[in-house]
Amino acid sequence: MAEPETQLLLGVGLIEKDTNGDALWVWCFPSTTTELRDLLLRKCCLTNENKLLHTFLFGQYKRTWFYITTMEVQDSPVLKKVTHFSIVLTAKDFNPEKYAAFTRILCRIYLKYGSPVKMMESYIAVLTKGICQSEENGSFLSKDFDARKAYLAGSIKDIVSQFGMEMVILYTALMLKKRIVVYHPRIEAIQEFTRTLPALVWHRQDWSILHSYVHLDDDELEALKTCPGYIAGFTDPEVSNRPDLYDVYVNLADSEITVSPLVKEPMTMGKLHKEIGQLIVQSAEDPDKSDSQVIKDISLKTKEILSTLASFTEASDDAAAEQMLKI
Amino acid sequence: MHWDWRVQKELKCLGSQLRLVPPPSLCRTQVALWDPPKEPRAMEEVDKILIHSLRLLGTEVPEEVQCVGDFSTELIVEAVVCCLRVIDPMLGIGLSPSLPPGMSARFRLGTRLAQACQVLGAPGDVGYQTFLYSTEPEIRRLLLFLVEKLPRDEAEDPGHPHGKSAVLLRALATCIQEQLETPWVPPACRSPWLQRLQGSNLQTPFQAQPLVLPQDKGSKERREYFQVLLPPVPQQLPPCPGPAPSLMEAHTAQLTAKLPSQDQTWGLGGNRLRQPVPAGGGMPPLRCRLLEQLRQACTPLGGRLPPAPGAPDLTRLLGSFGAGGGLGGPTLTKGSRFTRAQRLAHQQGPETLSEQMQVAAESLASSKTSEQEVQARQEEELGALWAELGQLEAEIAGLGGEVKTLELGLVQMETDASQRRQALGSREWSLRLKRRTVELLPDADSNLAKLQLVVESSAQRILALAGQWELHRRPLLDECRRLKGLRDTRQLESSRRLQDIKALHEWHRSAATEAQHKEELYQQLVLELEGLPRAVSRAAYTHRILEIVSNIRKQKEEIKRVLSDTRGLQKEINGLTGKLERTFAVTDELIFKDAKRDESVRKAYKYLAALHENCSQLIQTIEDAGSIHREIRDLEEQIESESGAKMPASLERILGDLRALRQENAGLAARTHEA
């Protein structure tokens, strides 16, 4: 996982909201496409009508991860006509903590100097050396942020305590690479919840199935539909009326999980599911165990199942799991 | 009710003029400024208009009566009762316009009239004495009040209305009048205009329905049908047009069917058109011939070939062709209507249907055997086709399943391929990287340093470029924002202007409607003017009104002048009084100072005090005298007005009436005693 930064960082962009109330894409490096620019403008909270500010947002579009940090400008001598601005970072890897820290540093620099050139210096420094100095004390070192840490950052115990035995539905859906849609009016809640889910199938170490911030926009839905299985987060309640988008629908606000009638049959629960569910709940309820230990427990159980299956067949693990879980 | 509100207006005007009596505070000389000879003339005017309006109300005012002063008690009572009846019919109930002979009855009537007047809000003290022992000004005031109270709507001349609805009503009235005057004309003789006026419902179009009449010939079933099932003719028809046209048409059809020439024309061919077709009415000969030729061409064909199901269709087509000519346009000829009726009969009547079946059966009978063969062959073929179809369907289903599996495989392959392609791309990239690395490996340290240098320098270059770009970007961005701001303000302004324009439009519209209203009013007034009776000379009225107005203006000016005079005098008096007081104070002080030392001065001071006191007394007396003069003048005026009321005469009359009343009372008492 220790890829150099050059291979991970894709670009940086700047969106400003001025006193006229317009959100403008004012600067970027090295370049961007119109499609991605429109998408990022939509994602960044400055174009929102409700004017709700989100300091940090992240998501994925066609295997490009974006991280957006937004700041409000108050009485800055260098940014006179600007009320808010967002720094948009695009990268290939999933690591919200790392890029939150980095974009925050970039934001501070921009707020201080009002010029993207200074910001770019730091960006180039990180790109070439993997390190940059923060405006305050200390420095940003990209090595400090391991991808595994990012994978473990969510709290699985919290979501188990929220859903209890129903966790097994999510587990099964993930094992079978089904499509999961999560709805909550607050984007922060969705991001926190969805980023934890792929940990249930730790053996895959695949966070690319995560699309934590999706709009009901044609391009985005088209991109989403090309993925075989995914976890998608929506803040628009309208998504519940789009059964073509999901196999499992999670209403996070009401703690409800709905299984689409089309996948009722492969998602039929058996004795094995009960066993797994109990294991998850027991492990998560143990106060002595940390989140990573819970994930380890689940992972061990998964490996056990998979090895049992491997003895049956030489087929790929997912297909085998599907067969096994149907028992 | 021929009361005109114009008269009312003038009365009001005159009345207001009459009320302009000079205030009593003005001195005599100022009163003299009023134009005394004008006043009786104005009174005459008022009385004339009053009498005119009373006459309009139906009061019989004798010719010799010229002013209100000449009104007798009977006339007053009659006029008041008339007015009351017009103002409020409820109030007028039970009030007789003639004065009763009995004294007590007269008092009662007077009291009731007074009550009615008070209910209407008559000014001043109105009682029975107002009517029975009248004074001229009181009666004038009362009559003026009543005439002003006359309801305007009622007063309007019905022949010359003023409202929009009234104009409409008048138009209606004239229309009705006109219609009443036109004589009744029999329906057949009515011109289109008269049809509209007096109705055209008798001229309904000639609508006939096909009738089924019982016949003696034909098959047994048919006869049975005629005897048992066929409803009577009136029940065969819808109730709307009535049976007469249908019967007439059926009759005509029967007549024409009996004509031999028609039989010859239509007797050709054994098809269903053999039945009586009334072609004499209107089928154009060309179309007849055309039909005939078609039919001839069709019949031999039907004879030679086995009867295909198309043959009856052809005859039907012919029938419809014949009928289609009738549907050609709105100018329906009689014959075409007959044809259509017949077509309807073909489609609907069960009896004609059965007939058609018979005809078909006859034509089919000759080739019955061949048909059976054909049927058997067809069934065989059908069976074979069914079997083939089933086979094909099964095949399709099998292929569909195969396609599905293949599609699935394709999708899998595609995803696999794309994944592999991606993997390949990344591997190629890493390969290139590794190749370069291997190339650089021999001299690792120096190459690393070189590479770092390269990276460093390119980073610097990029930063420099970014700085340059920033130099361009910043002003452009600022310009963009400035322009956007400008646009926003412009939009704001334009929206504001738009609002202004809208408001203007609104105003414009309201002004237009107002103008329209004014126009309407003008039209109304013009109408009214036309409708006004020419008897009252308008010019004289105008002239008088103008005179009165000018008088009033003159009087106003006078009053203003007098008022300013009075104010000047008052000012002067005030100034003098102040001056006097100041002078006195100064003198008093001066002399008082010296009075302590000098005896003669003390005396002088005493004189001064006395002088001052006497003078102030004198002034007081003069003022008192002035007020007494004023009072005297008031009293004189009162006396004048009282003497105008013919006090002694009315006293005598009252005494006489009292005596009569007492006599009546005594008589009544005696009668009760007797009883």
Side-chain angles (χ1 to χ4, degrees):
Chain A
M1 279 294 155
E3 278 183 87
E5 289 302 317
T6 29
Q7 293 178 24
L8 293 176
L9 276 172
L10 289 173
V12 58
L14 181 61
I15 300 169
E16 282 181 356
K17 187 172 189 173
D18 54 30
T19 43
N20 296 331
D22 294 321
L24 287 176
W25 177 275
V26 292
W27 182 87
C28 74
F29 175 82
S31 66
T32 184
T33 59
T34 322
E35 184 194 11
L36 195 65
R37 198 181 62 203
D38 291 344
L39 175 99
L40 293 172
L41 270 170
R42 191 162 56 236
K43 298 291 174 201
C44 116
C45 51
L46 299 182
T47 45
N48 271 4
E49 295 298 322
N50 53 17
K51 300 192 173 152
L52 208 66
L53 274 189
H54 306 290
T55 41
F56 183 66
L57 293 170
F58 63 88
Q60 191 205 170
Y61 177 68
K62 292 189 177 169
R63 297 203 163 248
T64 300
W65 289 91
F66 55 86
Y67 304 91
I68 306 172
T69 298
T70 305
M71 266 197 180
E72 195 174 355
V73 181
Q74 279 169 338
D75 307 326
S76 167
V78 286
L79 296 166
K80 275 177 190 151
K81 282 198 163 180
V82 183
T83 57
H84 303 80
F85 70 88
S86 294
I87 300 272
V88 184
L89 211 64
T90 46
K92 279 191 210 161
D93 59 335
F94 169 78
N95 203 330
E97 280 72 27
K98 178 166 111 182
Y99 293 115
F102 185 32
T103 48
R104 211 155 38 237
I105 287 169
L106 293 181
C107 276
R108 295 247 165 75
I109 292 170
Y110 187 65
L111 193 64
K112 189 171 177 189
Y113 297 102
S115 156
V117 180
K118 283 279 174 190
M119 205 168 76
M120 196 167 145
E121 268 176 31
S122 299
Y123 179 77
I124 296 270
V126 172
L127 196 69
T128 52
K129 297 176 199 136
I131 185 166
C132 81
Q133 289 298 316
S134 165
E135 272 306 307
E136 287 93 26
N137 46 9
S139 60
F140 169 79
L141 194 63
S142 66
K143 275 180 197 156
D144 289 347
F145 298 94
D146 188 23
R148 283 173 75 90
K149 260 194 211 164
Y151 293 160
L152 286 169
S155 169
I156 192 137
K157 290 176 96 166
D158 286 353
I159 59 173
V160 173
S161 71
Q162 187 178 357
F163 287 103
M165 275 301 275
E166 286 197 319
M167 276 303 284
V168 77
I169 300 175
L170 294 174
Y171 174 80
T172 318
L174 284 165
M175 282 300 278
L176 299 181
K177 291 194 175 173
K178 294 293 175 204
R179 300 168 302 164
I180 301 173
V181 161
V182 182
Y183 161 73
H184 194 283
R186 268 182 60 241
I187 183 62
E188 283 84 1
I190 294 178
Q191 290 190 329
E192 195 54 38
F193 177 75
T194 49
R195 68 174 293 176
T196 319
L197 286 184
L200 288 172
V201 281
W202 182 259
H203 62 286
R204 286 188 203 140
Q205 297 261 323
D206 183 12
W207 258 255
S208 70
I209 56 167
L210 179 62
H211 298 74
S212 47
Y213 189 23
V214 188
H215 280 93
L216 285 171
D217 173 81
D218 289 342
D219 283 346
E220 288 184 51
L221 296 183
E222 206 56 48
L224 196 64
K225 278 174 183 170
T226 57
C227 307
Y230 52 77
I231 304 163
F234 289 87
T235 50
D236 189 349
E238 183 57 28
V239 72
S240 65
N241 301 327
R242 293 290 301 268
D244 58 318
L245 291 178
Y246 59 82
D247 298 321
V248 176
Y249 176 73
V250 183
N251 187 336
L252 197 59
D254 302 340
S255 301
E256 275 176 13
I257 298 181
T258 317
V259 180
S260 162
L262 292 174
V263 292
K264 271 265 165 32
E265 197 242 333
M267 295 280 286
T268 319
M269 298 291 134
K271 195 179 149 202
L272 183 67
H273 296 97
K274 198 179 167 189
E275 204 177 298
I276 297 165
Q278 274 168 348
L279 174 97
I280 294 171
V281 172
Q282 272 173 11
S283 177
E285 275 173 357
D286 192 342
D288 296 337
K289 283 185 179 170
S290 67
D291 279 316
S292 54
Q293 274 171 319
V294 176
I295 290 169
K296 207 171 175 183
D297 282 351
I298 299 168
S299 174
L300 278 174
K301 182 73 185 169
T302 313
K303 273 187 184 146
E304 189 187 306
I305 296 165
L306 289 178
S307 60
T308 323
L309 286 167
S311 64
F312 282 127
T313 174
E314 290 300 314
S316 73
D317 58 346
D318 295 322
E322 193 170 338
Q323 281 177 2
M324 181 66 187
L325 287 163
K326 272 180 197 167
I327 298 165
Chain B
M1 240 57 74
H2 291 280
W3 165 255
D4 192 4
W5 65 275
R6 272 174 174 270
V7 181
Q8 261 187 332
K9 266 190 190 169
E10 284 176 21
L11 271 177
K12 264 192 188 168
C13 183
L14 284 170
S16 60
Q17 195 194 8
L18 281 177
R19 267 178 235 122
L20 279 173
V21 209
S25 58
L26 294 179
C27 61
R28 263 268 173 241
T29 48
Q30 281 158 354
V31 173
L33 286 170
W34 290 77
D35 198 1
K38 293 254 159 141
E39 213 168 323
R41 202 182 144 191
M43 285 300 178
E44 267 172 40
E45 274 323 317
V46 176
D47 289 357
K48 259 190 202 168
I49 294 165
L50 259 180
I51 290 164
H52 173 69
S53 50
L54 286 174
R55 279 192 185 136
L56 282 177
L57 283 173
T59 320
E60 284 169 14
V61 184
E63 283 302 316
E64 62 271 15
V65 175
Q66 286 296 326
C67 65
V68 175
D70 299 344
F71 271 42
S72 65
T73 311
E74 287 81 8
L75 197 55
I76 290 167
V77 169
E78 191 184 345
V80 171
V81 168
C82 272
C83 289
L84 283 175
R85 280 183 180 172
V86 173
I87 293 164
D88 191 352
M90 292 303 288
L91 282 174
I93 292 171
L95 292 176
S96 78
S98 58
L99 209 58
M103 221 35 234
S104 50
R106 281 183 185 198
F107 279 114
R108 263 203 302 282
L109 181 65
T111 320
R112 283 184 65 185
L113 281 177
Q115 272 174 356
C117 290
Q118 275 165 349
V119 164
L120 289 174
D125 181 28
V126 183
Y128 64 88
Q129 77 281 358
T130 317
F131 305 101
L132 298 183
Y133 313 108
S134 53
T135 60
E136 191 182 329
E138 256 181 52
I139 285 299
R140 185 177 289 123
R141 202 171 56 212
L142 184 71
L143 284 177
L144 264 176
F145 163 77
L146 286 173
V147 165
E148 276 177 23
K149 270 274 170 182
L150 285 176
R152 289 202 178 178
D153 291 346
E154 292 246 340
E156 278 174 11
D157 190 344
H160 308 283
H162 313 296
K164 214 182 200 175
S165 61
V167 171
L168 178 72
L169 279 175
R170 219 177 81 188
L172 283 174
T174 50
C175 190
I176 290 168
Q177 184 78 26
E178 197 183 340
Q179 290 188 7
L180 282 174
E181 279 164 6
T182 44
W184 183 85
V185 177
C189 308
R190 283 173 196 163
S191 62
W193 181 76
L194 277 172
Q195 274 183 19
R196 198 154 45 79
L197 204 64
Q198 300 183 341
S200 60
N201 53 346
L202 285 173
Q203 292 188 326
T204 46
F206 186 85
Q207 281 183 339
Q209 303 280 329
L211 291 174
V212 182
L213 301 174
Q215 288 166 356
D216 285 340
K217 53 190 178 184
S219 64
K220 194 180 152 196
E221 289 85 2
R222 281 189 71 182
R223 264 175 293 172
E224 201 179 304
Y225 166 74
F226 287 139
Q227 280 168 6
V228 182
L229 292 169
L230 186 68
V233 167
Q235 284 179 23
Q236 284 178 28
L237 295 165
C240 170
S246 307
L247 280 173
M248 277 164 75
E249 199 168 84
H251 182 64
T252 321
Q254 278 178 353
L255 279 183
T256 47
K258 277 174 191 166
L259 285 175
S261 63
Q262 296 300 322
D263 265 342
Q264 274 169 11
T265 315
W266 294 99
L268 291 164
N271 55 31
R272 62 196 167 85
L273 281 171
R274 194 177 43 195
Q275 62 179 277
V277 174
M283 183 95 73
L286 178 69
R287 200 185 298 148
C288 286
R289 232 174 294 144
L290 213 100
L291 260 176
E292 211 48 54
Q293 278 178 357
L294 270 171
R295 204 171 290 121
Q296 275 171 357
C298 158
T299 320
L301 226 105
R304 253 180 278 138
L305 286 177
D313 279 346
L314 193 59
T315 48
R316 198 173 300 147
L317 180 81
L318 281 174
S320 71
F321 180 69
L327 294 167
T331 51
L332 276 174
T333 57
K334 225 174 207 178
S336 62
R337 193 179 293 142
F338 282 179
T339 329
R340 186 177 53 177
Q342 207 145 34
R343 190 173 57 119
L344 282 172
H346 281 307
Q347 285 170 353
Q348 290 163 358
E351 164 256 335
T352 42
L353 265 178
S354 72
E355 196 180 41
Q356 195 181 349
M357 288 300 284
Q358 275 176 1
V359 171
E362 275 167 29
S363 59
L364 284 173
S366 59
S367 55
K368 218 166 200 174
T369 49
S370 65
E371 194 191 336
Q372 276 174 352
E373 276 169 29
V374 168
Q375 223 165 1
R377 215 167 43 225
Q378 271 180 350
E379 267 173 21
E380 253 172 52
E381 213 170 310
L382 198 67
L385 282 172
W386 270 116
E388 200 178 335
L389 188 67
Q391 202 181 334
L392 282 172
E393 269 176 357
E395 238 171 84
I396 286 169
L399 285 173
E402 213 171 304
V403 164
K404 238 181 232 171
T405 49
L406 282 174
E407 268 174 359
L408 267 178
L410 184 69
V411 169
Q412 273 181 358
M413 289 290 188
E414 267 175 0
T415 50
D416 201 23
S418 71
Q419 274 176 5
R420 272 163 201 247
R421 216 170 287 136
Q422 273 181 5
L424 183 71
S426 63
R427 274 186 193 176
E428 271 176 0
W429 198 80
S430 68
L431 179 72
R432 239 180 294 144
L433 198 73
K434 277 178 184 163
R435 196 182 294 146
R436 289 292 303 274
T437 320
V438 168
E439 276 171 20
L440 295 174
L441 211 57
D443 193 8
D445 287 343
S446 63
N447 278 335
L448 202 66
K450 263 189 214 163
L451 274 177
Q452 268 174 354
L453 213 70
V454 168
V455 165
E456 205 58 37
S457 67
S458 51
Q460 285 305 321
R461 209 177 64 240
I462 285 174
L463 281 178
L465 285 172
Q468 278 182 28
W469 167 233
E470 185 61 18
L471 286 181
H472 292 286
R473 192 187 68 94
R474 175 66 51 178
L476 284 172
L477 197 69
D478 286 346
E479 178 69 9
C480 174
R481 287 205 172 119
R482 196 180 61 77
L483 287 174
K484 271 194 176 172
L486 215 64
R487 186 200 62 190
D488 283 356
T489 51
R490 274 196 192 154
Q491 266 178 356
L492 214 72
E493 199 177 334
S494 65
S495 70
R496 197 174 54 76
R497 287 215 176 133
L498 200 71
Q499 272 181 353
D500 281 1
I501 288 167
K502 269 182 194 162
L504 262 174
H505 267 290
E506 200 61 39
W507 182 80
H508 181 244
R509 217 170 293 137
S510 68
T513 49
E514 203 178 318
Q516 210 178 327
H517 281 313
K518 293 255 165 89
E519 188 72 23
E520 275 173 21
L521 195 68
Y522 169 71
Q523 295 288 353
Q524 270 184 32
L525 287 173
V526 165
L527 264 174
E528 245 172 67
L529 187 67
E530 279 168 7
L532 269 181
R534 289 286 158 195
V536 185
S537 98
R538 189 180 147 73
Y541 269 122
T542 329
H543 184 68
R544 256 169 228 163
I545 288 163
L546 284 176
E547 222 169 67
I548 289 160
V549 169
S550 68
N551 263 352
I552 290 166
R553 203 170 293 141
K554 219 188 273 172
Q555 282 169 4
K556 253 190 191 168
E557 273 168 24
E558 287 296 337
I559 289 166
K560 250 186 212 164
R561 209 166 55 76
V562 167
L563 278 177
S564 67
D565 275 4
T566 325
R567 218 170 285 143
L569 277 173
Q570 195 70 43
K571 229 188 228 172
E572 210 178 315
I573 289 166
N574 285 346
L576 281 173
T577 319
K579 202 173 170 187
L580 176 70
E581 269 175 19
R582 280 196 302 279
T583 322
F584 173 70
V586 172
T587 323
D588 180 85
E589 203 177 321
L590 274 176
I591 297 176
F592 187 72
K593 265 185 201 165
D594 291 342
K596 284 175 188 169
R597 293 187 301 258
D598 200 338
E599 192 62 30
S600 63
V601 175
R602 190 177 294 168
K603 227 176 199 172
Y605 180 69
K606 269 181 190 165
Y607 285 142
L608 177 73
L611 185 69
H612 187 70
E613 201 176 320
N614 287 342
C615 281
S616 59
Q617 265 178 12
L618 208 61
I619 290 167
Q620 187 64 43
T621 318
I622 289 167
E623 276 176 3
D624 284 356
S627 69
I628 287 164
H629 270 296
R630 256 204 312 274
E631 261 174 49
I632 290 168
R633 228 173 291 130
D634 285 351
L635 286 171
E636 273 174 359
E637 268 170 21
Q638 273 183 21
I639 290 165
E640 226 167 82
S641 68
E642 286 301 316
S643 65
K646 295 184 261 176
M647 246 356 227
S650 37
L651 196 65
E652 266 173 39
R653 274 174 60 193
I654 289 169
L655 281 174
D657 286 345
L658 185 65
R659 241 171 276 138
L661 201 64
R662 277 201 182 131
Q663 270 180 8
E664 267 178 42
N665 282 349
L668 283 170
R671 235 185 282 168
T672 42
H673 273 296
E674 279 171 26

